[in-house]
Amino acid sequence: MRQRLGYFALPLLMAAFTTQACADGETIAVFTKNQTNPFFQTVRVGADNMAKTLNAKTLQYIPTKPDSIPEQLSQIEDVVVKKPSAIVFTPVDYKAMVPGVEKINDAKIPVINITDRSAGGKFLSFIGADDYSLGLETGRFLLKTLGGKGNIVIIEGVKGSLTNVDRVRGFNDALKETPGAKLLASQPGNYQRLQALQVMENLMQSNSQIDGVLAANDAMAVGAIEALDGANRKAQVIGINGTKEAIDAIKSGKLLASGDYNGFAQGCLGTMMAIRSLRNEPVISEIVLKPTVITKDNYKPFDVPLEQRTCPTWDEASKLGGK
């Protein structure tokens, strides 16, 4: 396990969430935001991997329309009826989904929050990453590569989403540290590849010289690269997520770097905590993964197919930091 995570070992799960102790065979409902961002596929594979290791099973809930609030609310209605053993939950919107989380709480289904921290509701654990540091460190790496100067554009995720707010804040703080660089524009691509491609095309029409692109996820970084290639223009591009597509692009020299968000570990650890809570075993209340900037110099440990990765053990998770 690369990251050092903090933890609080809870002696027992919260009584309000306690259902019944299970030896194995639990069903864990896993909620992710969409099928278009490869990051969430790594989360799902990590959850499946951990469930299989612990002799449990998963039930995946994915909106057919990316990040759809109404659809995820409808899926919560469904899961409350089906009453799985526990839920691993990523809200499509950290504020709008609070009423849905409260319904899960009312149904007394244990729930773990992963990736985007919910603005409300009760959770046994939070497993996520430091999005501000991801933005800051990837931004610093881009600006260092450019020699501390150049024209920069930011392609943001979904406006108002917590991950986007923190990552863009990190990007902007890196720019503030580098007075020789100029921010030309900061526009949303909604974490979608095609939308980012279109945003980049428009930005190139308005700006004859773009030296660097800070994209708030890998899918948008790839979209920006496709736009640059289509216009036969060059710029250094950075993304976030550490997806396979990003690693391949780093290897080929298309992508400068990607901030590692470790979705696989998030899926593993969220599912681990859910199952441990059902078995009346101690859980970790909070794990915040620290960022790693993946580059052409250090990509090899990340260049492992999802199906060949292994989840951390409880002992490994317990050695990781927390707060």
Side-chain angles (χ1 to χ4, degrees):
M1 193 69 187
R2 294 183 301 278
Q3 296 82 356
R4 292 191 298 273
L5 314 174
Y7 81 101
F8 289 139
L10 298 182
L12 290 172
L13 59 159
M14 298 164 60
F17 294 124
T18 303
T19 53
Q20 59 180 359
C22 303
D24 56 35
E26 302 93 336
T27 298
I28 310 300
V30 180
F31 282 69
T32 46
K33 297 168 71 171
N34 57 63
Q35 301 190 63
T36 54
N37 186 344
F39 167 78
F40 290 108
Q41 177 62 12
T42 69
V43 172
R44 292 188 284 269
V45 173
D48 291 345
N49 187 309
M50 179 56 75
K52 184 178 180 181
T53 300
L54 298 178
N55 196 26
K57 58 185 178 182
T58 58
L59 184 63
Q60 300 287 348
Y61 282 85
I62 314 165
T64 55
K65 180 181 179 183
D67 297 30
S68 169
I69 293 172
E71 193 170 351
Q72 192 173 67
L73 283 170
S74 175
Q75 290 178 334
I76 287 175
E77 298 282 353
D78 179 70
V79 84
V80 166
V81 172
K82 290 184 177 175
K83 214 169 180 57
S85 309
I87 295 172
V88 175
F89 188 74
T90 304
V92 297
D93 183 291
Y94 76 110
K95 291 181 180 177
M97 297 313 301
V98 171
V101 176
E102 291 171 345
K103 286 186 178 180
I104 295 171
N105 293 157
D106 290 342
K108 300 191 181 308
I109 303 171
V111 56
I112 309 294
N113 183 194
I114 65 169
T115 306
D116 290 38
R117 193 189 296 269
S118 173
K122 296 176 182 177
F123 296 92
L124 290 173
S125 298
F126 171 74
I127 312 292
D130 182 345
D131 287 288
Y132 171 76
S133 295
L134 281 165
L136 181 66
E137 297 303 326
T138 51
R140 283 174 171 168
F141 186 79
L142 172 68
L143 295 166
K144 181 180 179 182
T145 301
L146 294 175
K149 58 185 179 182
N151 293 329
I152 309 298
V153 298
I154 295 175
I155 303 181
E156 302 185 23
V158 176
K159 283 281 190 183
S161 70
L162 193 57
T163 56
N164 183 64
V165 169
D166 286 346
R167 291 176 192 180
V168 172
R169 185 164 58 89
F171 288 156
N172 281 309
D173 281 356
L175 284 162
K176 290 175 185 174
E177 296 174 351
T178 316
K182 180 182 179 181
L183 178 62
L184 298 176
S186 185
Q187 297 184 7
N190 294 323
Y191 289 135
Q192 302 299 315
R193 178 175 179 161
L194 179 58
Q195 291 184 37
L197 185 153
Q198 294 166 341
V199 167
M200 192 67 198
E201 287 176 341
N202 292 335
L203 289 171
M204 286 191 294
Q205 290 178 2
S206 306
N207 300 280
S208 59
Q209 181 64 42
I210 296 175
D211 303 297
V213 180
L214 290 162
N217 78 350
D218 287 339
M220 297 193 298
V222 172
I225 290 169
E226 290 173 342
L228 286 162
D229 287 347
N232 197 27
R233 287 174 59 167
K234 301 291 184 184
Q236 297 284 4
V237 181
I238 270 186
I240 289 176
N241 283 164
T243 61
K244 180 183 185 305
E245 191 172 30
I247 301 300
D248 290 343
I250 290 170
K251 288 162 62 178
S252 68
K254 288 283 189 179
L255 182 68
L256 177 64
S258 175
D260 178 35
Y261 198 14
N262 208 335
F264 182 80
Q266 291 189 36
C268 292
L269 293 168
T271 305
M272 174 194 286
M273 300 310 154
I275 295 172
R276 287 182 64 87
S277 74
L278 294 167
R279 298 178 184 180
N280 287 343
E281 297 173 336
V283 299
I284 300 169
S285 63
E286 181 166 312
I287 295 176
V288 178
L289 299 155
K290 296 183 183 301
T292 299
V293 180
I294 305 171
T295 72
K296 63 180 175 59
D297 296 323
N298 69 352
Y299 74 84
K300 289 186 178 178
F302 302 87
D303 190 23
V304 178
L306 282 175
E307 59 273 17
Q308 295 179 17
R309 299 184 188 184
T310 57
C311 284
T313 64
W314 169 250
D315 286 343
E316 289 170 331
S318 298
K319 293 175 183 175
L320 304 171
K323 59 184 180 180

